[in-house]
Amino acid sequence: MSGWLALVAAGLLEIAWAFGLKYSDGLTRFWPTAATVLAIALSFALMAVALRSLPFGTAYVVWTGIGAVGSILVGILVFSEPADPVRLLCLTLIVAGMVGLKLNSPV
């Protein structure tokens, strides 16, 4: 598996575990908690795979960026959180930073 593919999958699992935390009700509901723990473990494992070939700083920023942007989008789309212009601008800046790091990455 390529480092970038592992990194994107790890980032998507970041979104999944954040979503799972919302439904675990403070880690008191068994199945949402189990799914959350599994998503965390898989996310970390895929991040470890990605770090074999990608620069640490770039990989970490992209990993957390995917999780942050995805979690905010899930909040807006699923939980009806506000989508005001400042929030959307900040999301755009996060994505621009991730793209810039990817384009400037030696791998």
Side-chain angles (χ1 to χ4, degrees):
M1 172 180 284
S2 81
W4 285 105
L5 182 60
L7 184 60
V8 169
L12 293 174
L13 284 163
E14 286 281 295
I15 301 165
W17 73 253
F19 189 72
L21 279 176
K22 177 76 171 166
Y23 284 104
S24 72
D25 195 24
L27 302 177
T28 61
R29 296 177 59 216
F30 179 78
W31 289 113
T33 299
T36 299
V37 170
L38 179 62
I40 290 169
L42 290 172
S43 180
F44 272 77
L46 287 167
M47 178 62 166
V49 170
L51 286 172
R52 288 187 204 156
S53 61
L54 299 177
F56 170 74
T58 301
Y60 186 76
V61 168
V62 171
W63 181 49
T64 58
I66 292 170
V69 169
S71 295
I72 292 168
L73 291 175
V74 166
I76 291 169
L77 298 172
V78 176
F79 301 115
S80 301
E81 293 176 1
D84 57 78
V86 173
R87 258 184 129 188
L88 297 178
L89 173 65
C90 291
L91 280 175
T92 302
L93 292 171
I94 293 170
V95 172
M98 290 188 305
V99 170
L101 286 169
K102 163 61 174 117
L103 294 175
N104 197 37
S105 176
V107 178

Coordinates of all heavy atoms in Angstrom, one line a residue:
M1 N 0.9 -1.2 0.0 CA 0.0 0.0 0.0 C 0.9 1.2 0.0 O 1.9 1.3 0.7 CB -0.9 0.0 1.2 CG -1.7 1.2 1.4 SD -2.7 1.3 2.9 CE -4.1 0.2 2.4
S2 N 0.6 2.2 -0.8 CA 1.4 3.4 -0.9 C 1.2 4.2 0.4 O 0.1 4.2 1.1 CB 1.0 4.3 -2.1 OG -0.2 5.0 -1.9
G3 N 2.2 5.0 0.7 CA 2.1 5.9 1.9 C 1.0 6.8 1.9 O 0.3 7.0 2.9
W4 N 0.7 7.5 0.7 CA -0.3 8.4 0.6 C -1.7 7.8 0.7 O -2.6 8.3 1.4 CB -0.2 9.2 -0.7 CG 0.9 10.2 -0.6 CD1 2.1 10.2 -1.2 CD2 0.9 11.4 0.2 NE1 2.8 11.3 -0.9 CE2 2.1 12.1 0.0 CE3 0.0 12.1 1.0 CZ2 2.5 13.3 0.6 CZ3 0.3 13.3 1.6 CH2 1.5 13.9 1.4
L5 N -1.9 6.6 0.2 CA -3.2 5.9 0.3 C -3.4 5.5 1.8 O -4.5 5.7 2.3 CB -3.2 4.6 -0.6 CG -4.5 3.8 -0.6 CD1 -5.6 4.7 -1.1 CD2 -4.3 2.6 -1.5
A6 N -2.4 5.0 2.4 CA -2.5 4.7 3.8 C -2.8 5.9 4.7 O -3.7 5.9 5.6 CB -1.2 4.0 4.4
L7 N -2.2 7.0 4.3 CA -2.5 8.3 5.0 C -3.9 8.8 4.9 O -4.6 9.2 5.8 CB -1.5 9.3 4.6 CG -1.6 10.7 5.3 CD1 -1.3 10.5 6.8 CD2 -0.6 11.7 4.7
V8 N -4.4 8.7 3.7 CA -5.8 9.1 3.4 C -6.8 8.2 4.2 O -7.7 8.7 4.8 CB -6.1 9.2 1.9 CG1 -7.6 9.3 1.7 CG2 -5.4 10.3 1.2
A9 N -6.5 6.9 4.1 CA -7.4 6.0 4.8 C -7.3 6.2 6.3 O -8.3 6.2 7.0 CB -7.0 4.5 4.5
A10 N -6.1 6.5 6.9 CA -6.0 6.8 8.3 C -6.8 8.1 8.6 O -7.4 8.2 9.7 CB -4.5 7.0 8.6
G11 N -6.7 9.1 7.8 CA -7.4 10.3 8.0 C -9.0 10.1 8.0 O -9.7 10.7 8.8
L12 N -9.4 9.3 7.1 CA -10.9 9.0 7.0 C -11.3 8.2 8.3 O -12.4 8.4 8.8 CB -11.2 8.1 5.8 CG -11.0 8.9 4.5 CD1 -11.2 7.9 3.3 CD2 -12.0 10.1 4.4
L13 N -10.4 7.4 8.8 CA -10.7 6.7 10.1 C -10.7 7.7 11.3 O -11.4 7.4 12.3 CB -9.8 5.5 10.3 CG -10.1 4.3 9.5 CD1 -8.9 3.4 9.4 CD2 -11.3 3.6 10.0
E14 N -10.0 8.8 11.2 CA -10.0 9.8 12.2 C -11.4 10.4 12.2 O -12.0 10.6 13.3 CB -9.0 10.9 11.8 CG -7.6 10.6 12.0 CD -7.2 10.7 13.5 OE1 -7.3 11.8 14.1 OE2 -6.9 9.7 14.1
I15 N -12.0 10.6 11.1 CA -13.4 11.1 11.0 C -14.3 10.1 11.7 O -15.2 10.4 12.4 CB -13.8 11.4 9.6 CG1 -12.9 12.4 9.0 CG2 -15.3 11.9 9.5 CD1 -13.0 12.5 7.4
A16 N -14.1 8.8 11.3 CA -15.0 7.7 11.8 C -15.0 7.7 13.3 O -16.0 7.5 14.0 CB -14.6 6.4 11.2
W17 N -13.8 7.8 13.9 CA -13.7 7.6 15.4 C -14.3 8.9 16.1 O -14.9 8.7 17.1 CB -12.4 7.2 15.9 CG -11.2 8.1 15.9 CD1 -10.1 8.0 15.1 CD2 -11.0 9.1 16.8 NE1 -9.2 9.0 15.5 CE2 -9.7 9.7 16.5 CE3 -11.7 9.7 17.9 CZ2 -9.1 10.8 17.2 CZ3 -11.1 10.8 18.6 CH2 -9.9 11.3 18.3
A18 N -14.1 10.0 15.5 CA -14.7 11.2 16.1 C -16.3 11.1 16.0 O -16.9 11.4 17.0 CB -14.3 12.5 15.4
F19 N -16.8 10.6 14.9 CA -18.2 10.4 14.8 C -18.7 9.3 15.8 O -19.7 9.5 16.5 CB -18.5 9.9 13.4 CG -19.9 9.8 13.0 CD1 -20.7 10.9 12.8 CD2 -20.5 8.6 12.8 CE1 -22.0 10.8 12.4 CE2 -21.9 8.5 12.4 CZ -22.6 9.6 12.2
G20 N -17.9 8.3 16.0 CA -18.2 7.2 17.0 C -18.3 7.8 18.4 O -19.1 7.3 19.2
L21 N -17.4 8.7 18.7 CA -17.4 9.2 20.0 C -18.7 9.9 20.4 O -19.2 9.9 21.5 CB -16.2 10.2 20.2 CG -14.8 9.7 20.5 CD1 -13.8 10.8 20.6 CD2 -14.8 8.9 21.8
K22 N -19.2 10.6 19.4 CA -20.5 11.3 19.5 C -21.6 10.3 19.9 O -22.4 10.6 20.8 CB -20.8 12.0 18.2 CG -22.2 12.7 18.3 CD -22.1 14.0 19.1 CE -23.4 14.8 18.9 NZ -23.5 15.9 19.9
Y23 N -21.6 9.1 19.3 CA -22.6 8.1 19.5 C -22.3 7.2 20.7 O -23.2 6.4 21.1 CB -22.9 7.3 18.2 CG -23.7 8.2 17.3 CD1 -23.1 8.7 16.2 CD2 -25.1 8.4 17.5 CE1 -23.9 9.5 15.3 CE2 -25.8 9.2 16.6 CZ -25.2 9.7 15.5 OH -25.9 10.5 14.7
S24 N -21.1 7.2 21.2 CA -20.8 6.3 22.3 C -21.3 6.8 23.6 O -21.3 6.0 24.6 CB -19.3 6.1 22.4 OG -18.7 7.3 22.9
D25 N -21.8 8.0 23.7 CA -22.4 8.6 24.9 C -21.5 8.5 26.0 O -21.7 7.9 27.1 CB -23.8 7.9 25.2 CG -24.6 8.6 26.2 OD1 -24.4 9.9 26.3 OD2 -25.4 8.0 26.9
G26 N -20.3 9.1 25.8 CA -19.3 9.1 26.9 C -18.6 7.7 27.1 O -18.3 7.4 28.2
L27 N -18.6 6.9 26.0 CA -18.0 5.6 26.1 C -18.8 4.6 26.9 O -18.3 3.7 27.5 CB -16.5 5.6 26.5 CG -15.6 6.4 25.6 CD1 -14.2 6.3 26.2 CD2 -15.6 6.0 24.2
T28 N -20.1 4.9 27.0 CA -21.0 4.1 27.9 C -21.8 3.1 27.0 O -22.4 2.2 27.6 CB -22.0 4.9 28.7 OG1 -22.8 5.7 27.8 CG2 -21.2 5.8 29.7
R29 N -21.9 3.3 25.7 CA -22.7 2.4 24.9 C -21.7 1.4 24.2 O -20.7 1.9 23.6 CB -23.5 3.2 23.8 CG -24.5 4.0 24.5 CD -25.3 4.9 23.5 NE -26.0 4.1 22.6 CZ -26.1 4.4 21.3 NH1 -25.7 5.6 20.9 NH2 -26.7 3.6 20.4
F30 N -21.9 0.1 24.3 CA -20.9 -0.9 23.9 C -20.5 -0.8 22.4 O -19.3 -0.7 22.1 CB -21.3 -2.3 24.3 CG -20.3 -3.3 23.9 CD1 -19.1 -3.5 24.6 CD2 -20.5 -4.1 22.7 CE1 -18.2 -4.4 24.2 CE2 -19.5 -5.0 22.3 CZ -18.4 -5.2 23.0
W31 N -21.5 -1.0 21.5 CA -21.1 -1.1 20.1 C -20.5 0.2 19.5 O -19.5 0.1 18.8 CB -22.3 -1.5 19.3 CG -22.6 -3.0 19.6 CD1 -23.7 -3.5 20.2 CD2 -21.8 -4.1 19.3 NE1 -23.6 -4.9 20.4 CE2 -22.4 -5.3 19.8 CE3 -20.5 -4.3 18.7 CZ2 -21.9 -6.5 19.7 CZ3 -20.0 -5.5 18.6 CH2 -20.7 -6.7 19.1
P32 N -21.1 1.4 19.8 CA -20.4 2.6 19.3 C -19.0 2.8 19.9 O -18.1 3.2 19.2 CB -21.3 3.7 19.8 CG -22.7 3.1 19.9 CD -22.4 1.7 20.4
T33 N -18.8 2.4 21.2 CA -17.5 2.4 21.8 C -16.5 1.4 21.1 O -15.4 1.8 20.8 CB -17.6 2.2 23.3 OG1 -18.4 3.2 23.9 CG2 -16.2 2.2 24.0
A34 N -17.0 0.2 20.9 CA -16.2 -0.8 20.2 C -15.8 -0.3 18.8 O -14.6 -0.5 18.4 CB -16.9 -2.1 20.2
A35 N -16.7 0.2 18.1 CA -16.4 0.7 16.7 C -15.4 1.9 16.8 O -14.5 2.0 16.0 CB -17.7 1.2 16.0
T36 N -15.5 2.8 17.8 CA -14.6 3.9 18.0 C -13.2 3.4 18.3 O -12.3 3.9 17.6 CB -15.1 4.8 19.1 OG1 -16.4 5.3 18.7 CG2 -14.2 6.0 19.3
V37 N -13.1 2.4 19.2 CA -11.8 1.9 19.5 C -11.1 1.2 18.3 O -9.9 1.4 18.0 CB -11.9 0.9 20.7 CG1 -10.6 0.2 20.9 CG2 -12.3 1.7 22.0
L38 N -11.9 0.5 17.5 CA -11.4 -0.2 16.3 C -10.9 0.9 15.3 O -9.9 0.7 14.7 CB -12.5 -1.1 15.7 CG -12.1 -1.8 14.4 CD1 -10.9 -2.7 14.7 CD2 -13.3 -2.5 13.9
A39 N -11.7 1.9 15.1 CA -11.3 3.0 14.2 C -10.1 3.7 14.6 O -9.2 4.0 13.8 CB -12.5 4.0 14.0
I40 N -9.9 3.9 15.9 CA -8.7 4.5 16.4 C -7.5 3.6 16.1 O -6.4 4.1 15.7 CB -8.8 4.8 17.9 CG1 -9.8 6.0 18.2 CG2 -7.4 5.2 18.6 CD1 -10.2 6.1 19.7
A41 N -7.6 2.3 16.5 CA -6.5 1.4 16.2 C -6.1 1.3 14.8 O -4.9 1.3 14.4 CB -6.9 0.0 16.8
L42 N -7.1 1.2 13.9 CA -6.8 1.1 12.5 C -6.2 2.4 12.0 O -5.3 2.4 11.1 CB -8.1 0.8 11.7 CG -8.6 -0.6 11.9 CD1 -10.0 -0.8 11.2 CD2 -7.6 -1.6 11.3
S43 N -6.7 3.6 12.5 CA -6.1 4.9 12.0 C -4.6 4.9 12.4 O -3.8 5.3 11.6 CB -6.9 6.0 12.7 OG -6.4 7.2 12.3
F44 N -4.3 4.6 13.7 CA -2.9 4.6 14.1 C -2.1 3.6 13.3 O -0.9 3.9 12.9 CB -2.8 4.3 15.6 CG -3.0 5.5 16.5 CD1 -4.2 6.0 16.7 CD2 -1.9 6.0 17.1 CE1 -4.4 7.1 17.5 CE2 -2.0 7.2 17.9 CZ -3.2 7.7 18.1
A45 N -2.6 2.4 13.0 CA -1.9 1.4 12.3 C -1.6 1.9 10.8 O -0.4 1.8 10.3 CB -2.6 0.1 12.2
L46 N -2.5 2.5 10.2 CA -2.3 3.1 8.8 C -1.4 4.3 8.9 O -0.6 4.4 7.9 CB -3.7 3.4 8.2 CG -4.5 2.2 7.8 CD1 -5.9 2.6 7.4 CD2 -3.8 1.5 6.6
M47 N -1.5 5.1 9.9 CA -0.5 6.2 10.0 C 0.9 5.6 10.2 O 1.8 6.2 9.6 CB -0.9 7.0 11.2 CG 0.0 8.2 11.5 SD 0.1 9.4 10.1 CE 0.9 10.7 10.9
A48 N 1.1 4.6 10.9 CA 2.4 4.0 11.0 C 2.9 3.5 9.7 O 4.1 3.6 9.4 CB 2.3 2.8 12.0
V49 N 2.0 2.9 8.9 CA 2.4 2.5 7.5 C 2.8 3.7 6.7 O 3.8 3.7 6.0 CB 1.2 1.7 6.8 CG1 1.5 1.5 5.4 CG2 1.0 0.4 7.6
A50 N 2.0 4.7 6.7 CA 2.3 5.9 6.0 C 3.7 6.5 6.4 O 4.4 7.0 5.5 CB 1.2 7.0 6.2
L51 N 4.0 6.5 7.6 CA 5.3 7.1 8.1 C 6.5 6.3 7.7 O 7.6 6.9 7.7 CB 5.2 7.2 9.6 CG 4.3 8.3 10.2 CD1 4.2 8.2 11.7 CD2 4.8 9.7 9.7
R52 N 6.3 5.1 7.1 CA 7.5 4.4 6.6 C 8.1 5.2 5.4 O 9.3 5.1 5.1 CB 7.1 3.0 6.1 CG 6.8 2.1 7.2 CD 6.6 0.7 6.7 NE 5.9 -0.1 7.6 CZ 5.1 -1.1 7.3 NH1 5.1 -1.5 6.0 NH2 4.5 -1.8 8.2
S53 N 7.2 5.9 4.6 CA 7.7 6.5 3.4 C 7.4 8.0 3.3 O 8.0 8.6 2.4 CB 7.0 5.8 2.2 OG 5.6 5.9 2.2
L54 N 6.6 8.5 4.2 CA 6.3 10.0 4.1 C 7.0 10.7 5.2 O 7.3 10.2 6.3 CB 4.8 10.2 4.2 CG 4.0 9.5 3.1 CD1 2.5 9.8 3.4 CD2 4.3 10.0 1.7
P55 N 7.4 12.0 4.9 CA 8.0 12.8 6.0 C 7.0 13.0 7.1 O 5.8 13.2 6.9 CB 8.2 14.2 5.3 CG 8.1 13.9 3.8 CD 7.2 12.7 3.6
F56 N 7.5 12.9 8.3 CA 6.7 12.9 9.6 C 5.8 14.2 9.6 O 4.6 14.0 9.8 CB 7.6 12.9 10.8 CG 6.9 13.2 12.1 CD1 6.0 12.2 12.6 CD2 7.0 14.4 12.7 CE1 5.3 12.4 13.8 CE2 6.3 14.6 13.9 CZ 5.4 13.7 14.4
G57 N 6.4 15.4 9.5 CA 5.6 16.6 9.6 C 4.5 16.7 8.6 O 3.3 17.0 9.0
T58 N 4.7 16.3 7.4 CA 3.7 16.4 6.3 C 2.6 15.4 6.6 O 1.4 15.7 6.6 CB 4.3 16.1 5.0 OG1 5.3 17.1 4.7 CG2 3.3 16.1 3.9
A59 N 3.0 14.1 7.0 CA 2.0 13.1 7.2 C 1.2 13.4 8.4 O -0.1 13.3 8.3 CB 2.8 11.7 7.5
Y60 N 1.7 14.0 9.5 CA 0.9 14.3 10.6 C -0.1 15.4 10.4 O -1.2 15.3 10.7 CB 1.8 14.7 11.8 CG 1.0 14.9 13.1 CD1 0.6 13.8 13.8 CD2 0.7 16.2 13.5 CE1 -0.2 14.0 14.9 CE2 0.0 16.3 14.7 CZ -0.5 15.2 15.4 OH -1.3 15.4 16.5
V61 N 0.4 16.4 9.7 CA -0.5 17.5 9.4 C -1.7 17.1 8.4 O -2.8 17.5 8.7 CB 0.2 18.7 8.7 CG1 -0.7 19.8 8.1 CG2 1.2 19.4 9.8
V62 N -1.4 16.3 7.4 CA -2.4 15.8 6.5 C -3.4 14.9 7.3 O -4.6 15.0 7.1 CB -1.8 15.1 5.3 CG1 -2.8 14.4 4.5 CG2 -1.0 16.1 4.5
W63 N -2.8 14.0 8.1 CA -3.7 13.1 8.9 C -4.6 13.9 9.8 O -5.9 13.6 9.8 CB -2.7 12.2 9.7 CG -3.3 11.2 10.6 CD1 -4.3 10.2 10.3 CD2 -3.0 10.9 12.0 NE1 -4.5 9.4 11.3 CE2 -3.8 9.8 12.4 CE3 -2.1 11.5 12.9 CZ2 -3.7 9.3 13.7 CZ3 -2.1 11.0 14.1 CH2 -2.8 9.9 14.5
T64 N -4.1 14.8 10.6 CA -5.0 15.5 11.4 C -5.9 16.5 10.7 O -7.0 16.7 11.1 CB -4.2 16.3 12.5 OG1 -3.3 17.2 11.9 CG2 -3.5 15.4 13.4
G65 N -5.4 17.0 9.5 CA -6.2 17.9 8.7 C -7.4 17.2 8.1 O -8.5 17.7 8.1
I66 N -7.2 16.0 7.6 CA -8.3 15.2 7.1 C -9.3 15.0 8.2 O -10.6 15.1 8.0 CB -7.9 13.9 6.5 CG1 -7.0 14.1 5.2 CG2 -9.0 13.0 6.2 CD1 -6.3 12.9 4.7
G67 N -8.9 14.6 9.3 CA -9.8 14.4 10.5 C -10.5 15.6 10.9 O -11.7 15.6 11.1
A68 N -9.8 16.7 10.9 CA -10.5 18.0 11.3 C -11.5 18.5 10.3 O -12.6 18.8 10.7 CB -9.4 19.1 11.6
V69 N -11.1 18.5 9.1 CA -12.0 19.0 8.0 C -13.2 18.0 7.9 O -14.3 18.5 7.8 CB -11.3 19.1 6.7 CG1 -12.2 19.3 5.5 CG2 -10.3 20.3 6.7
G70 N -12.9 16.7 7.9 CA -14.0 15.8 7.8 C -15.0 15.8 9.0 O -16.2 15.8 8.8
S71 N -14.4 16.0 10.2 CA -15.3 16.1 11.3 C -16.1 17.3 11.3 O -17.3 17.3 11.7 CB -14.4 16.0 12.6 OG -13.8 14.8 12.7
I72 N -15.6 18.4 10.9 CA -16.4 19.7 10.8 C -17.5 19.5 9.7 O -18.6 19.9 10.0 CB -15.5 20.9 10.5 CG1 -14.6 21.2 11.7 CG2 -16.3 22.1 10.1 CD1 -13.4 22.1 11.4
L73 N -17.1 18.9 8.6 CA -18.1 18.7 7.6 C -19.2 17.7 8.0 O -20.4 17.9 7.8 CB -17.5 18.1 6.3 CG -16.6 19.1 5.5 CD1 -15.9 18.5 4.3 CD2 -17.4 20.3 5.1
V74 N -18.9 16.7 8.8 CA -19.9 15.8 9.3 C -20.8 16.5 10.3 O -22.0 16.4 10.3 CB -19.2 14.5 10.0 CG1 -20.2 13.8 10.9 CG2 -18.6 13.6 9.0
G75 N -20.1 17.4 11.1 CA -20.9 18.2 12.1 C -21.9 19.1 11.3 O -23.1 19.2 11.8
I76 N -21.5 19.7 10.2 CA -22.4 20.6 9.5 C -23.5 19.7 8.8 O -24.7 20.1 8.9 CB -21.6 21.4 8.4 CG1 -20.7 22.4 9.1 CG2 -22.5 22.0 7.4 CD1 -19.7 23.1 8.2
L77 N -23.1 18.6 8.1 CA -24.1 17.9 7.4 C -25.0 17.0 8.2 O -26.2 16.8 7.9 CB -23.3 17.0 6.3 CG -22.5 17.8 5.3 CD1 -21.7 16.9 4.4 CD2 -23.5 18.6 4.4
V78 N -24.4 16.4 9.2 CA -25.2 15.4 10.0 C -25.8 16.0 11.3 O -27.0 15.7 11.6 CB -24.3 14.2 10.4 CG1 -25.1 13.2 11.3 CG2 -23.8 13.5 9.2
F79 N -25.1 16.9 11.9 CA -25.6 17.4 13.2 C -26.1 18.9 13.1 O -26.3 19.5 14.1 CB -24.5 17.3 14.3 CG -24.1 15.9 14.5 CD1 -22.8 15.5 14.2 CD2 -24.9 15.0 15.0 CE1 -22.4 14.2 14.4 CE2 -24.5 13.6 15.2 CZ -23.2 13.3 14.9
S80 N -26.2 19.4 11.9 CA -26.8 20.7 11.6 C -26.0 21.8 12.4 O -26.6 22.8 12.8 CB -28.2 20.8 12.0 OG -29.0 19.9 11.3
E81 N -24.7 21.7 12.5 CA -23.9 22.7 13.1 C -23.7 23.9 12.1 O -23.9 23.7 10.8 CB -22.5 22.2 13.4 CG -22.5 21.1 14.5 CD -21.2 20.5 14.8 OE1 -20.2 20.8 14.2 OE2 -21.2 19.6 15.7
P82 N -23.5 25.1 12.5 CA -23.4 26.2 11.6 C -22.4 26.1 10.5 O -21.3 25.6 10.7 CB -23.1 27.4 12.5 CG -22.6 26.8 13.8 CD -23.1 25.4 13.9
A83 N -22.7 26.6 9.3 CA -21.8 26.7 8.2 C -21.6 28.1 7.8 O -21.7 28.5 6.6 CB -22.3 25.8 7.0
D84 N -21.2 28.9 8.7 CA -21.0 30.4 8.4 C -19.8 30.6 7.6 O -18.9 29.8 7.5 CB -21.0 31.2 9.7 CG -19.9 30.7 10.7 OD1 -18.8 31.1 10.5 OD2 -20.3 30.0 11.7
P85 N -19.7 31.8 7.0 CA -18.6 32.1 6.1 C -17.2 32.0 6.7 O -16.3 31.5 6.1 CB -18.8 33.5 5.6 CG -20.3 33.7 5.7 CD -20.7 32.8 6.9
V86 N -17.1 32.4 8.0 CA -15.8 32.3 8.6 C -15.3 30.8 8.8 O -14.2 30.5 8.6 CB -15.8 33.1 10.0 CG1 -14.5 32.9 10.8 CG2 -16.0 34.5 9.8
R87 N -16.3 30.0 9.2 CA -15.9 28.6 9.4 C -15.5 28.0 8.0 O -14.6 27.2 8.0 CB -17.2 27.8 9.9 CG -17.1 27.5 11.3 CD -18.3 26.7 11.7 NE -17.8 25.5 12.4 CZ -18.5 24.5 12.8 NH1 -19.8 24.4 12.5 NH2 -18.0 23.5 13.4
L88 N -16.2 28.3 7.0 CA -15.9 27.8 5.7 C -14.6 28.3 5.2 O -13.8 27.6 4.6 CB -17.0 28.1 4.7 CG -18.4 27.4 5.0 CD1 -19.4 27.8 4.0 CD2 -18.2 25.9 5.1
L89 N -14.3 29.5 5.5 CA -12.9 30.1 5.1 C -11.8 29.3 5.9 O -10.8 29.0 5.3 CB -12.9 31.6 5.5 CG -11.5 32.2 5.3 CD1 -11.1 32.2 3.9 CD2 -11.5 33.7 5.8
C90 N -12.0 29.1 7.1 CA -11.0 28.4 7.9 C -10.8 26.9 7.4 O -9.7 26.4 7.3 CB -11.4 28.3 9.4 SG -11.3 29.9 10.2
L91 N -11.9 26.3 7.0 CA -11.8 25.0 6.4 C -11.0 25.0 5.1 O -10.1 24.2 4.8 CB -13.2 24.4 6.1 CG -14.0 23.8 7.2 CD1 -15.4 23.4 6.7 CD2 -13.2 22.6 7.7
T92 N -11.3 26.0 4.3 CA -10.5 26.2 3.0 C -9.0 26.4 3.3 O -8.2 25.9 2.6 CB -11.1 27.4 2.3 OG1 -12.5 27.2 2.1 CG2 -10.4 27.6 1.0
L93 N -8.7 27.2 4.4 CA -7.3 27.4 4.7 C -6.6 26.1 5.1 O -5.5 25.8 4.8 CB -7.2 28.4 5.8 CG -7.5 29.9 5.3 CD1 -7.6 30.8 6.5 CD2 -6.6 30.4 4.3
I94 N -7.3 25.2 5.9 CA -6.8 23.9 6.3 C -6.5 23.1 5.1 O -5.4 22.5 4.9 CB -7.7 23.2 7.3 CG1 -7.8 24.0 8.6 CG2 -7.3 21.8 7.5 CD1 -8.9 23.4 9.5
V95 N -7.5 23.0 4.2 CA -7.3 22.2 3.0 C -6.2 22.8 2.1 O -5.3 22.0 1.6 CB -8.6 22.1 2.2 CG1 -8.4 21.5 0.8 CG2 -9.7 21.4 2.9
A96 N -6.1 24.1 2.0 CA -5.0 24.7 1.2 C -3.6 24.3 1.8 O -2.7 24.1 1.1 CB -5.2 26.2 1.1
G97 N -3.6 24.4 3.1 CA -2.3 24.0 3.8 C -1.9 22.5 3.5 O -0.8 22.2 3.2
M98 N -2.9 21.6 3.6 CA -2.6 20.2 3.3 C -2.2 20.0 1.9 O -1.2 19.3 1.6 CB -3.8 19.4 3.6 CG -4.2 19.3 5.1 SD -5.4 18.1 5.5 CE -6.8 18.6 4.5
V99 N -2.9 20.7 0.9 CA -2.5 20.6 -0.5 C -1.1 21.1 -0.7 O -0.2 20.5 -1.4 CB -3.5 21.3 -1.4 CG1 -3.0 21.4 -2.8 CG2 -4.9 20.5 -1.4
G100 N -0.8 22.3 -0.1 CA 0.5 22.9 -0.2 C 1.6 21.9 0.3 O 2.7 21.8 -0.3
L101 N 1.4 21.3 1.4 CA 2.4 20.4 2.0 C 2.5 19.1 1.1 O 3.7 18.7 0.9 CB 2.0 19.9 3.4 CG 2.2 21.0 4.5 CD1 1.5 20.6 5.7 CD2 3.7 21.2 4.7
K102 N 1.4 18.7 0.5 CA 1.5 17.5 -0.4 C 2.3 17.9 -1.6 O 3.2 17.1 -2.1 CB 0.1 17.0 -0.8 CG 0.0 16.2 -2.0 CD 0.8 14.9 -1.9 CE 0.5 13.9 -3.1 NZ 1.7 13.6 -3.8
L103 N 2.1 19.0 -2.2 CA 2.8 19.5 -3.4 C 4.2 19.7 -3.2 O 5.1 19.6 -4.1 CB 2.1 20.7 -4.0 CG 0.7 20.5 -4.6 CD1 0.1 21.8 -5.0 CD2 0.7 19.5 -5.7
N104 N 4.6 20.1 -1.9 CA 6.0 20.3 -1.6 C 6.7 19.2 -1.0 O 7.8 19.2 -0.6 CB 6.0 21.5 -0.6 CG 7.4 22.2 -0.5 OD1 8.1 22.2 -1.5 ND2 7.8 22.5 0.7
S105 N 6.0 18.0 -0.9 CA 6.6 16.8 -0.3 C 7.6 16.2 -1.2 O 7.3 16.1 -2.4 CB 5.5 15.8 0.1 OG 6.0 14.6 0.6
P106 N 8.7 15.7 -0.7 CA 9.7 15.0 -1.6 C 9.2 13.7 -2.1 O 9.8 13.1 -3.0 CB 10.9 14.9 -0.7 CG 10.4 14.9 0.7 CD 9.2 15.8 0.7
V107 N 8.1 13.1 -1.5 CA 7.6 11.8 -1.9 C 6.4 11.9 -2.7 O 5.5 12.6 -2.4 CB 7.4 10.9 -0.6 CG1 6.9 9.5 -1.0 CG2 8.7 10.8 0.1

